[in-house]
């Protein structure tokens, strides 16, 4: 009987990079998280940690009943009390729920938050698309300043750039405010109805429920028809137009490369005004590295006061796939090489002191020969090998070998580990 991980999942495991996808390599995750964390510190965002499951109705209400995520992709289950719960398919709904539940609207606004964690969608697996994926996300609630949009979009772009995402462009659209949508949707619906017989079945089913989503259709006929369809840009109120101009102007000032895409509608229903997607041509079919937008009605929708919000979510697996991931193996400072059984405990004790001083070290636990231990030191990328054998023990020293230059010298350990710590340059 053998076991495999569930469909659509992957493991992050110590394989030394051999035959591993970038998102399977532990050191790349540590790197991505630390880079993101540092950006959020510089932009003054606070980390939130929220449950990976919520009441299912939270997502139905916010992401939208007619969305693919709610209709087809949620992992829904019942707890023993009969409550209908869902693994979170995305992060925004939970953050807004938490903002309302804890009365964060009473704090100085806006409240700027970030998260890093797994999301779950029951999708067909392919490269860059998984049933459990991890998002770096940010949400800013409590300000309708277009410069906040610029901050959020440039934060997303700058994190991607720091992680080496290649050939990236941010696509932008403006979905207008509710009033704009109220005028636009019937026009679009009317046009789609007129051409119903030429549309693909999925798009036909959306005419009544969510006609904006027909823009996402991959069907060539549908796309050709949509090229002639009414455009939301022509329906924007003066206010929405002015808002969009301010966002574009800000992006130009901070040097984020963007392009307008009037067909960009996003797969979640809560958006108003600014929506965006960052794409990289280094990826295949799943070329969207991150996306987001404004959701000015969502806080109220979930029982809070009228508070505007905006945020992004970015898939870490896709970031790592689209990036020039550093190739090197993680570095170890010291590997201890013991040439006699009596040397093991002194080596173990020295390793323990060095670890307390902040150095990373390891030793042999597989009864290897001297040669095997040197090989292990090499594999681990050790900067130094510290050798202890009978001779060293008799002389009260250890031999410190610089693994790059091959230089070796004896260091006294009679008085304790201090000479060694000095020799290693701590
Ligand atoms: P989303 O576009 O659904 O937005 O997802 C954000 C990102 O998560 C995508 O651009 C993609 O990189 C990654 N992603 C989504 N699904 C998968 C999957 N099955 N496998 C791998 N990666 C995936 C949201 O989730 C919104 N909550 C973003 C947001 C935040 N809007 C406002 N605030």
């Amino acid at each position: 009987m053998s076991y495999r991980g569930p469909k659509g999942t992957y493991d992050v495991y110590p394989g030394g990079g051999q035959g591993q996808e970038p998102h399977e390599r532990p050191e790349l995750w540590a790197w991505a998280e630390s880079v993101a964390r540092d950006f959020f510190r510089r932009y003054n965002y606070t980390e939130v940690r929220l449950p990976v499951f919520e009441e299912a109705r939270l997502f139905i209400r916010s992401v939208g009943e007619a969305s693919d995520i709610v209709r087809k992709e949620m992992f829904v289950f019942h707890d023993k009390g009969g409550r209908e719960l869902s693994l979170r398919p995305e992060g925004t709904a939970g953050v807004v729920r938490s903002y309302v539940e804890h009365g964060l609207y009473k704090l100085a606004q806006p409240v700027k938050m970030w998260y890093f964690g797994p999301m779950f969608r029951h999708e067909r697996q392919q490269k860059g698309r998984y049933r459990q994926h991890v998002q770096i996300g940010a949400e800013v609630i409590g300000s309708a300043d277009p410069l906040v949009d610029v901050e959020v979009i440039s934060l997303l772009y700058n994190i991607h750039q720091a992680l080496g995402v290649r050939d990236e462009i941010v696509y932008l659209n403006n979905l207008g405010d509710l009033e704009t949508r109220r005028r636009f949707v019937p026009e679009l619906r009317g046009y789609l109805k007129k051409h119903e017989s030429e549309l693909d079945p999925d798009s036909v089913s959306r005419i009544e429920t969510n006609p904006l989503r027909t823009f996402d259709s991959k069907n060539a006929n549908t796309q050709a028809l949509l090229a002639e369809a009414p455009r939301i840009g022509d329906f924007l109120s003066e206010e929405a137009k002015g808002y969009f101009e301010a966002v574009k102007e800000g992006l130009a000032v901070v040097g984020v490369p963007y392009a307008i895409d009037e067909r960009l509608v996003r797969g979640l229903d809560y958006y108003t005004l600014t929506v965006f997607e960052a794409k990289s041509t280094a990826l295949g079919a799943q070329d969207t590295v991150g996306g987001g937008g404004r959701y000015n009605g969502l806080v109220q929708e979930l029982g809070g006061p009228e508070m505007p919000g905006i945020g992004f979510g970015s898939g870490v697996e896709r970031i790592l796939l689209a990036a020039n991931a550093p190739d090197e193996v993680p570095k170890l400072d010291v590997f201890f090489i013991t040439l006699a059984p009596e040397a093991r405990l002194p080596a173990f004790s020295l390793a323990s002191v060095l670890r307390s001083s902040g150095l990373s070290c390891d030793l042999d636990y597989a009864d290897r020969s001297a040669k095997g231990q040197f090989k292990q030191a090499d594999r681990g990328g050790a900067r130094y090998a510290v050798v202890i054998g009978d001779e060293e023990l008799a002389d009260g020293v250890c031999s410190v070998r610089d693994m790059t230059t091959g230089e070796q010298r004896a260091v006294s350990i009679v008085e304790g580990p201090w000479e060694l710590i000095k020799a290693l340059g701590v």
Side-chain angles (χ1 to χ4, degrees), residues 13-27:
Y13 61 95
Q18 295 297 314
Q20 285 176 298
E21 296 277 354
H23 60 273
E24 292 172 330
R25 292 171 53 189
E27 68 278 12

Side-chain angles (χ1 to χ4, degrees), residues 119-307:
M119 308 293 162
F120 306 85
R121 296 183 189 177
H122 199 285
E123 296 196 83
R124 211 161 35 79
Q125 179 176 6
Q126 53 175 269
K127 200 177 179 76
R129 198 208 265 162
Y130 310 95
R131 293 188 178 173
Q132 172 171 341
H133 72 279
V134 173
Q135 282 187 24
I136 298 174
E139 311 292 347
V140 179
I141 308 182
S143 169
D145 184 339
L147 275 186
V148 171
D149 304 40
V150 178
E151 177 174 295
V152 165
I153 295 169
S154 58
L155 179 51
L156 171 70
Y157 180 74
N158 289 335
I159 290 174
H160 286 169
Q161 289 304 299
L163 291 171
V165 171
R166 290 163 289 168
D167 308 322
E168 179 178 8
I169 295 185
V170 178
Y171 291 91
L172 273 189
N173 195 13
N174 189 316
L175 298 181
D177 41 32
L178 287 179
E179 195 230 327
T180 309
R181 243 148 353 127
R182 218 165 279 144
R183 290 190 291 126
F184 174 66
V185 167
E187 289 288 329
L188 179 63
R189 189 175 281 135
Y191 177 84
L192 294 172
K193 270 192 182 145
K194 217 162 55 189
H195 298 277
E196 195 169 332
S197 59
E198 299 154 74
L199 293 170
D200 63 280
D202 232 19
S203 296
V204 171
S205 75
R206 287 184 165 133
I207 295 180
E208 286 309 324
T209 50
N210 199 354
L212 280 176
R213 297 280 296 152
T214 53
F215 284 107
D216 273 351
S217 167
K218 302 271 183 279
N219 183 285
N221 278 344
T222 302
Q223 278 304 335
L225 266 175
L226 285 169
E228 306 294 318
R231 296 190 169 255
I232 197 155
D234 300 331
F235 288 76
L236 294 179
S237 63
E238 285 311 308
E239 209 186 331
K241 271 189 201 153
Y243 196 91
F244 202 28
E245 287 310 311
V247 174
K248 289 191 270 187
E249 193 185 352
L251 288 175
V253 166
V254 292
V256 173
Y258 70 85
I260 306 298
D261 177 2
E262 281 206 72
R263 296 178 185 200
L264 178 64
V265 290
R266 307 272 301 136
L268 307 93
D269 286 356
Y270 46 61
Y271 293 115
T272 55
L273 296 167
T274 316
V275 286
F276 53 90
E277 281 184 353
K279 298 196 182 213
S280 161
T281 48
L283 289 173
Q286 303 302 315
D287 60 352
T288 307
V289 197
R294 265 211 169 269
Y295 43 84
N296 286 354
L298 186 58
V299 177
Q300 211 174 13
E301 187 83 19
L302 297 183
E306 207 179 321
M307 280 288 187

Side-chain angles (χ1 to χ4, degrees), residues 48 50 54 57-58 61-62 91-107 109 111 113 139 141-142 295-309:
V48 292
L50 302 174
E54 298 268 0
R57 67 189 177 101
L58 173 73
R61 187 72 187 257
S62 49
T92 311
V95 173
V96 174
R97 192 268 303 146
S98 171
Y99 175 91
V100 174
E101 181 173 341
H102 300 292
L104 303 190
Y105 43 81
K106 293 182 208 134
L107 303 177
Q109 302 297 304
V111 182
M113 295 163 275
E139 311 292 347
I141 308 182
Y295 43 84
N296 286 354
L298 186 58
V299 177
Q300 211 174 13
E301 187 83 19
L302 297 183
E306 207 179 321
M307 280 288 187

